[in-house]
Amino acid sequence: MKIRVHVSLKPGVLDPQGRAVHHALEGLGFEGVDDVRIGRTVELDVADSTTDEALDEMCRKLLANMVIENYRIEKVG
């Protein structure tokens, strides 16, 4: 089974990468972009028997920093 984990910074956490991209977009003449937040996607190929609880535990223990990040698990296909 294919899994995508989308990890993003929690609201209120400073995002220097997002700020740099926002500044670059403005410098290139793009208007109307109010904010940019950078995140990451982790793709996993796991056994069909892998439980939702196990996926959640993987995220909480390794894939996301629970202090500053949120995550969302997506089952693909």
Side-chain angles (χ1 to χ4, degrees), residues 48-71:
D48 289 342
S49 60
T50 305
T51 64
D52 291 345
E53 292 77 17
L55 293 170
D56 192 59
E57 189 174 356
M58 289 177 201
C59 293
R60 290 182 172 277
K61 288 188 173 182
L62 179 65
L63 301 178
N65 178 342
M66 298 307 299
V67 174
I68 62 170
E69 295 175 320
N70 291 321
Y71 65 89

mmCIF file of all heavy atoms in Angstrom, residues 48-71:
data_model
loop_
_atom_site.group_PDB
_atom_site.id
_atom_site.type_symbol
_atom_site.label_atom_id
_atom_site.label_comp_id
_atom_site.label_asym_id
_atom_site.label_seq_id
_atom_site.Cartn_x
_atom_site.Cartn_y
_atom_site.Cartn_z
ATOM 1 N N ASP A 48 0.035 -4.121 3.244
ATOM 2 C CA ASP A 48 -1.403 -3.856 3.330
ATOM 3 C C ASP A 48 -1.928 -4.039 4.754
ATOM 4 O O ASP A 48 -2.945 -3.452 5.117
ATOM 5 C CB ASP A 48 -2.182 -4.757 2.370
ATOM 6 C CG ASP A 48 -1.964 -4.373 0.915
ATOM 7 O OD1 ASP A 48 -1.509 -3.236 0.655
ATOM 8 O OD2 ASP A 48 -2.250 -5.212 0.036
ATOM 9 N N SER A 49 -1.244 -4.830 5.537
ATOM 10 C CA SER A 49 -1.689 -5.097 6.907
ATOM 11 C C SER A 49 -1.289 -4.001 7.897
ATOM 12 O O SER A 49 -1.661 -4.062 9.064
ATOM 13 C CB SER A 49 -1.125 -6.441 7.381
ATOM 14 O OG SER A 49 0.293 -6.398 7.357
ATOM 15 N N THR A 50 -0.552 -2.991 7.432
ATOM 16 C CA THR A 50 -0.126 -1.907 8.312
ATOM 17 C C THR A 50 -1.346 -1.125 8.788
ATOM 18 O O THR A 50 -2.143 -0.665 7.979
ATOM 19 C CB THR A 50 0.859 -0.965 7.596
ATOM 20 O OG1 THR A 50 1.963 -1.736 7.099
ATOM 21 C CG2 THR A 50 1.377 0.113 8.525
ATOM 22 N N THR A 51 -1.470 -0.980 10.088
ATOM 23 C CA THR A 51 -2.654 -0.316 10.650
ATOM 24 C C THR A 51 -2.508 1.203 10.646
ATOM 25 O O THR A 51 -1.393 1.737 10.572
ATOM 26 C CB THR A 51 -2.887 -0.773 12.098
ATOM 27 O OG1 THR A 51 -1.775 -0.338 12.900
ATOM 28 C CG2 THR A 51 -3.047 -2.288 12.191
ATOM 29 N N ASP A 52 -3.649 1.870 10.744
ATOM 30 C CA ASP A 52 -3.641 3.324 10.861
ATOM 31 C C ASP A 52 -2.887 3.757 12.116
ATOM 32 O O ASP A 52 -2.201 4.773 12.113
ATOM 33 C CB ASP A 52 -5.072 3.866 10.911
ATOM 34 C CG ASP A 52 -5.804 3.714 9.588
ATOM 35 O OD1 ASP A 52 -5.145 3.457 8.556
ATOM 36 O OD2 ASP A 52 -7.043 3.853 9.586
ATOM 37 N N GLU A 53 -3.021 2.967 13.172
ATOM 38 C CA GLU A 53 -2.325 3.279 14.419
ATOM 39 C C GLU A 53 -0.808 3.214 14.238
ATOM 40 O O GLU A 53 -0.066 4.048 14.763
ATOM 41 C CB GLU A 53 -2.766 2.333 15.540
ATOM 42 C CG GLU A 53 -4.207 2.515 15.982
ATOM 43 C CD GLU A 53 -5.237 1.894 15.028
ATOM 44 O OE1 GLU A 53 -4.861 1.042 14.185
ATOM 45 O OE2 GLU A 53 -6.407 2.273 15.112
ATOM 46 N N ALA A 54 -0.340 2.224 13.478
ATOM 47 C CA ALA A 54 1.101 2.102 13.223
ATOM 48 C C ALA A 54 1.598 3.280 12.385
ATOM 49 O O ALA A 54 2.677 3.829 12.653
ATOM 50 C CB ALA A 54 1.409 0.780 12.525
ATOM 51 N N LEU A 55 0.826 3.682 11.390
ATOM 52 C CA LEU A 55 1.207 4.831 10.567
ATOM 53 C C LEU A 55 1.277 6.095 11.417
ATOM 54 O O LEU A 55 2.217 6.885 11.298
ATOM 55 C CB LEU A 55 0.214 5.016 9.425
ATOM 56 C CG LEU A 55 0.190 3.914 8.371
ATOM 57 C CD1 LEU A 55 -0.996 4.109 7.432
ATOM 58 C CD2 LEU A 55 1.497 3.867 7.597
ATOM 59 N N ASP A 56 0.297 6.273 12.281
ATOM 60 C CA ASP A 56 0.274 7.428 13.162
ATOM 61 C C ASP A 56 1.494 7.429 14.084
ATOM 62 O O ASP A 56 2.136 8.464 14.289
ATOM 63 C CB ASP A 56 -1.021 7.416 13.978
ATOM 64 C CG ASP A 56 -1.244 8.713 14.701
ATOM 65 O OD1 ASP A 56 -1.323 9.760 14.035
ATOM 66 O OD2 ASP A 56 -1.324 8.680 15.946
ATOM 67 N N GLU A 57 1.844 6.263 14.591
ATOM 68 C CA GLU A 57 3.008 6.149 15.476
ATOM 69 C C GLU A 57 4.302 6.475 14.730
ATOM 70 O O GLU A 57 5.200 7.130 15.278
ATOM 71 C CB GLU A 57 3.071 4.748 16.075
ATOM 72 C CG GLU A 57 4.100 4.606 17.161
ATOM 73 C CD GLU A 57 4.050 3.254 17.858
ATOM 74 O OE1 GLU A 57 3.159 2.442 17.546
ATOM 75 O OE2 GLU A 57 4.925 3.029 18.705
ATOM 76 N N MET A 58 4.420 6.044 13.471
ATOM 77 C CA MET A 58 5.597 6.372 12.664
ATOM 78 C C MET A 58 5.758 7.884 12.544
ATOM 79 O O MET A 58 6.867 8.421 12.668
ATOM 80 C CB MET A 58 5.460 5.782 11.254
ATOM 81 C CG MET A 58 5.571 4.301 11.164
ATOM 82 S SD MET A 58 5.301 3.804 9.440
ATOM 83 C CE MET A 58 4.851 2.084 9.672
ATOM 84 N N CYS A 59 4.646 8.561 12.310
ATOM 85 C CA CYS A 59 4.686 10.015 12.167
ATOM 86 C C CYS A 59 5.079 10.687 13.467
ATOM 87 O O CYS A 59 5.938 11.569 13.486
ATOM 88 C CB CYS A 59 3.329 10.530 11.706
ATOM 89 S SG CYS A 59 2.905 10.009 10.035
ATOM 90 N N ARG A 60 4.462 10.266 14.546
ATOM 91 C CA ARG A 60 4.709 10.900 15.841
ATOM 92 C C ARG A 60 6.129 10.647 16.358
ATOM 93 O O ARG A 60 6.717 11.507 17.006
ATOM 94 C CB ARG A 60 3.706 10.401 16.876
ATOM 95 C CG ARG A 60 2.314 10.902 16.619
ATOM 96 C CD ARG A 60 1.336 10.444 17.690
ATOM 97 N NE ARG A 60 0.067 11.103 17.489
ATOM 98 C CZ ARG A 60 -0.223 12.329 17.914
ATOM 99 N NH1 ARG A 60 0.673 13.021 18.571
ATOM 100 N NH2 ARG A 60 -1.402 12.858 17.690
ATOM 101 N N LYS A 61 6.693 9.473 16.057
ATOM 102 C CA LYS A 61 8.016 9.125 16.588
ATOM 103 C C LYS A 61 9.176 9.558 15.698
ATOM 104 O O LYS A 61 10.288 9.741 16.183
ATOM 105 C CB LYS A 61 8.108 7.620 16.828
ATOM 106 C CG LYS A 61 7.296 7.164 18.020
ATOM 107 C CD LYS A 61 7.562 5.715 18.346
ATOM 108 C CE LYS A 61 6.883 5.325 19.646
ATOM 109 N NZ LYS A 61 7.168 3.934 20.007
ATOM 110 N N LEU A 62 8.927 9.694 14.374
ATOM 111 C CA LEU A 62 10.057 9.957 13.485
ATOM 112 C C LEU A 62 9.789 10.985 12.389
ATOM 113 O O LEU A 62 10.598 11.867 12.164
ATOM 114 C CB LEU A 62 10.523 8.642 12.830
ATOM 115 C CG LEU A 62 11.694 8.781 11.866
ATOM 116 C CD1 LEU A 62 12.958 9.220 12.604
ATOM 117 C CD2 LEU A 62 11.932 7.487 11.124
ATOM 118 N N LEU A 63 8.676 10.860 11.697
ATOM 119 C CA LEU A 63 8.488 11.632 10.472
ATOM 120 C C LEU A 63 8.132 13.096 10.699
ATOM 121 O O LEU A 63 8.377 13.929 9.827
ATOM 122 C CB LEU A 63 7.424 10.958 9.595
ATOM 123 C CG LEU A 63 7.753 9.517 9.192
ATOM 124 C CD1 LEU A 63 6.614 8.929 8.377
ATOM 125 C CD2 LEU A 63 9.070 9.444 8.433
ATOM 126 N N ALA A 64 7.547 13.418 11.843
ATOM 127 C CA ALA A 64 7.176 14.806 12.135
ATOM 128 C C ALA A 64 7.685 15.188 13.515
ATOM 129 O O ALA A 64 7.703 14.365 14.427
ATOM 130 C CB ALA A 64 5.658 14.966 12.071
ATOM 131 N N ASN A 65 8.088 16.432 13.639
ATOM 132 C CA ASN A 65 8.458 16.986 14.933
ATOM 133 C C ASN A 65 7.182 17.558 15.548
ATOM 134 O O ASN A 65 6.732 18.638 15.172
ATOM 135 C CB ASN A 65 9.515 18.079 14.756
ATOM 136 C CG ASN A 65 9.913 18.728 16.061
ATOM 137 O OD1 ASN A 65 9.220 18.633 17.057
ATOM 138 N ND2 ASN A 65 11.044 19.421 16.030
ATOM 139 N N MET A 66 6.617 16.840 16.482
ATOM 140 C CA MET A 66 5.299 17.192 17.008
ATOM 141 C C MET A 66 5.267 18.535 17.737
ATOM 142 O O MET A 66 4.202 19.092 17.954
ATOM 143 C CB MET A 66 4.781 16.082 17.932
ATOM 144 C CG MET A 66 4.593 14.744 17.231
ATOM 145 S SD MET A 66 3.573 14.867 15.742
ATOM 146 C CE MET A 66 2.060 15.470 16.444
ATOM 147 N N VAL A 67 6.416 19.065 18.089
ATOM 148 C CA VAL A 67 6.461 20.359 18.766
ATOM 149 C C VAL A 67 6.123 21.479 17.784
ATOM 150 O O VAL A 67 5.388 22.406 18.123
ATOM 151 C CB VAL A 67 7.847 20.598 19.414
ATOM 152 C CG1 VAL A 67 7.950 21.994 19.994
ATOM 153 C CG2 VAL A 67 8.127 19.538 20.468
ATOM 154 N N ILE A 68 6.630 21.384 16.549
ATOM 155 C CA ILE A 68 6.470 22.492 15.597
ATOM 156 C C ILE A 68 5.757 22.100 14.305
ATOM 157 O O ILE A 68 5.507 22.962 13.471
ATOM 158 C CB ILE A 68 7.833 23.131 15.253
ATOM 159 C CG1 ILE A 68 8.756 22.119 14.588
ATOM 160 C CG2 ILE A 68 8.468 23.745 16.489
ATOM 161 C CD1 ILE A 68 10.018 22.728 13.995
ATOM 162 N N GLU A 69 5.430 20.822 14.127
ATOM 163 C CA GLU A 69 4.859 20.386 12.853
ATOM 164 C C GLU A 69 3.537 19.626 13.036
ATOM 165 O O GLU A 69 3.311 18.984 14.053
ATOM 166 C CB GLU A 69 5.835 19.470 12.099
ATOM 167 C CG GLU A 69 7.105 20.161 11.677
ATOM 168 C CD GLU A 69 8.108 19.230 11.033
ATOM 169 O OE1 GLU A 69 8.254 18.082 11.504
ATOM 170 O OE2 GLU A 69 8.756 19.672 10.072
ATOM 171 N N ASN A 70 2.706 19.723 12.006
ATOM 172 C CA ASN A 70 1.505 18.908 11.867
ATOM 173 C C ASN A 70 1.742 17.919 10.740
ATOM 174 O O ASN A 70 2.623 18.136 9.890
ATOM 175 C CB ASN A 70 0.297 19.780 11.507
ATOM 176 C CG ASN A 70 -0.130 20.687 12.635
ATOM 177 O OD1 ASN A 70 -0.118 20.301 13.785
ATOM 178 N ND2 ASN A 70 -0.502 21.904 12.294
ATOM 179 N N TYR A 71 0.944 16.872 10.685
ATOM 180 C CA TYR A 71 1.054 15.928 9.575
ATOM 181 C C TYR A 71 -0.325 15.431 9.188
ATOM 182 O O TYR A 71 -1.277 15.492 9.965
ATOM 183 C CB TYR A 71 1.973 14.750 9.935
ATOM 184 C CG TYR A 71 1.448 13.875 11.034
ATOM 185 C CD1 TYR A 71 0.630 12.779 10.774
ATOM 186 C CD2 TYR A 71 1.779 14.134 12.364
ATOM 187 C CE1 TYR A 71 0.145 11.983 11.795
ATOM 188 C CE2 TYR A 71 1.302 13.348 13.386
ATOM 189 C CZ TYR A 71 0.484 12.267 13.094
ATOM 190 O OH TYR A 71 -0.004 11.492 14.101
#
